[in-house]
Amino acid sequence: MFEIKTVLFKLYGAGINQFVKIPPCDAATELTKEYNAAPNFAVILAPNGEKLASFSGAESAADKILKYLEEHRDHLRSYKKTAAK
């Protein structure tokens, strides 16, 4: 998903410029529990670590994430504005 330029441009446009891919391993267990995720999940977090959205394996398709970014664009950009102050 992060290799798709359209997704990257929309993420950047929403003020999301940090991405982390967590490999399935024992060390990731705590994170998956904290964010109620599983392998092949995409999770969008606020700067304070609050989970804003998650998309499970089949839902992780780029179009689902693009739709979320479009619907929540102003909210996501508000984090960027707050950080700039």
Side-chain angles (χ1 to χ4, degrees):
M1 172 186 63
F2 296 118
E3 294 80 12
I4 301 171
K5 287 183 181 181
T6 304
V7 175
L8 286 176
F9 289 136
K10 291 287 186 178
L11 287 166
Y12 291 139
I16 300 171
N17 56 16
Q18 294 182 7
F19 315 98
V20 178
K21 292 182 181 181
I22 300 173
C25 63
D26 291 339
T29 302
E30 186 177 324
L31 283 173
T32 57
K33 286 181 183 177
E34 181 177 351
Y35 294 110
N36 195 24
N40 297 318
F41 261 63
V43 180
I44 297 177
L45 304 174
N48 65 0
E50 172 191 1
K51 181 169 119 178
L52 300 176
S54 65
F55 306 89
S56 66
E59 295 177 9
S60 291
D63 58 334
K64 297 278 186 181
I65 293 172
L66 291 172
K67 181 179 178 185
Y68 174 84
L69 293 172
E70 185 64 31
E71 291 173 352
H72 297 88
R73 180 180 52 222
D74 293 337
H75 180 117
L76 294 169
R77 286 183 180 161
S78 72
Y79 290 111
K80 188 174 182 178
K81 290 176 185 173
T82 301
K85 291 181 181 180

